[in-house]
Amino acid sequence: MPRALFEKAGNARYISHLDLMRVFQRAFKRAGLPLTHTQGFNPRPSVSIALPLSLGVESQCELLDFELERPYACAEIREKLNAALIDGVYIREVYEQGQKLKNLTLLQSRLVLEYDRHISDDAEDVIQSLFSRPELIVEKKGKNGTTQQDIIPMLRRLAVKKLSDREVEITALHSCQNPSLNPMQLSAAITKYLPGLSPDYVRCFREEIFDTNETIFR
């Protein structure tokens, strides 16, 4: 089954996961690339996206699996899809024989915390110290309600950098499956434990995905 590596950026970051699925289904149709359909009473196009992206988050490492009614060259699929897709959604690469998704373990995320006020000179050190604690409990909202989650075991590495008097950057390598850490939980931890450094706005980016050995996942 072919796999596409794509990015979602700009205004496209406000497209929901379900709407993005529809965007791709229509793009395949417009591109003249007929998708196969599942069997049963309610056939669906054979297309899926790994690790659904939260609304408002940008990414350059999204994965799309799909199956076509007949084979096409990977370069041709990429070219035709990009011509049919909307601004902000771009196919970087199409290839065969992708790794099994169960081996996708780690995600590198970057958050930019923005402030309407000047922050203290030691903000970088204070935030870094927070994520050096042995335990950091934050609330996690799910289908079954709100639970308490310790995010420290899901962080493999984290670095904090003060970009300016009004911006702080956090880069984190963290688990993305079994268990999964939403990187926005990092901002939630700051708001809970360091209310004086609670950001006014947060921009979040997915930068790369890895297996458990930190090898780039494709």
Side-chain angles (χ1 to χ4, degrees):
M1 178 179 292
R3 174 173 291 169
L5 172 71
F6 71 95
E7 62 183 46
K8 182 185 178 190
N11 289 334
R13 68 186 185 275
Y14 297 115
I15 300 174
S16 71
H17 174 69
L18 290 179
D19 285 339
L20 183 61
M21 292 290 290
R22 298 185 186 101
V23 165
F24 273 112
Q25 290 168 16
R26 292 167 184 162
F28 275 101
K29 188 174 182 179
R30 287 195 296 269
L33 299 168
L35 292 164
T36 63
H37 286 70
T38 59
Q39 302 298 312
F41 294 104
N42 186 26
R44 297 182 179 181
S46 300
V47 59
S48 62
I49 299 174
L51 303 181
L53 197 62
S54 298
L55 198 67
V57 178
E58 297 188 43
S59 176
Q60 59 180 19
C61 56
E62 298 302 285
L63 297 180
L64 175 82
D65 286 342
F66 58 93
E67 187 172 0
L68 300 175
E69 291 183 355
R70 67 178 182 85
Y72 293 82
C74 290
E76 181 182 4
I77 296 172
R78 177 180 177 272
E79 181 179 354
K80 287 186 173 182
L81 280 180
N82 279 331
L85 283 167
I86 62 172
D87 289 343
V89 180
Y90 178 76
I91 304 294
R92 296 175 56 194
E93 183 183 359
V94 175
Y95 54 95
E96 301 277 359
Q97 305 300 323
Q99 301 176 56
K100 293 181 179 179
L101 291 178
K102 67 179 182 180
N103 296 326
L104 172 53
T105 307
L106 298 168
L107 171 63
Q108 180 173 300
S109 297
R110 181 169 60 89
L111 282 74
V112 178
L113 314 181
E114 298 183 353
Y115 298 86
D116 294 336
R117 61 198 184 279
H118 290 281
I119 53 177
S120 60
D121 293 337
D122 64 348
E124 179 179 314
D125 294 334
V126 172
I127 294 174
Q128 187 75 62
S129 179
L130 174 68
F131 293 106
S132 299
R133 295 185 184 184
E135 181 181 79
L136 209 55
I137 305 297
V138 296
E139 290 186 348
K140 179 181 180 180
K141 295 180 179 179
K143 295 179 180 179
N144 299 320
T146 301
T147 59
Q148 300 294 310
Q149 181 183 49
D150 181 8
I151 65 176
I152 293 300
M154 292 179 281
L155 289 171
R156 184 167 292 195
R157 273 195 306 278
L158 184 142
V160 182
K161 181 180 181 181
K162 187 178 178 184
L163 301 178
S164 70
D165 289 339
R166 296 177 184 265
E167 286 188 327
V168 172
E169 179 184 75
I170 299 175
T171 303
L173 183 65
H174 59 89
S175 61
C176 59
Q177 289 197 109
N178 304 315
S180 173
L181 173 63
N182 183 334
M184 292 300 289
Q185 294 292 80
L186 304 178
S187 174
I190 293 171
T191 296
K192 178 178 180 179
Y193 294 97
L194 303 173
L197 288 172
S198 178
D200 295 293
Y201 185 73
V202 181
R203 289 182 288 147
C204 186
F205 308 85
R206 281 182 178 177
E207 295 191 321
E208 193 53 273
I209 46 179
F210 304 88
D211 63 18
T212 190
N213 297 318
E214 299 187 27
T215 301
I216 292 176
F217 184 94
R218 291 293 183 266

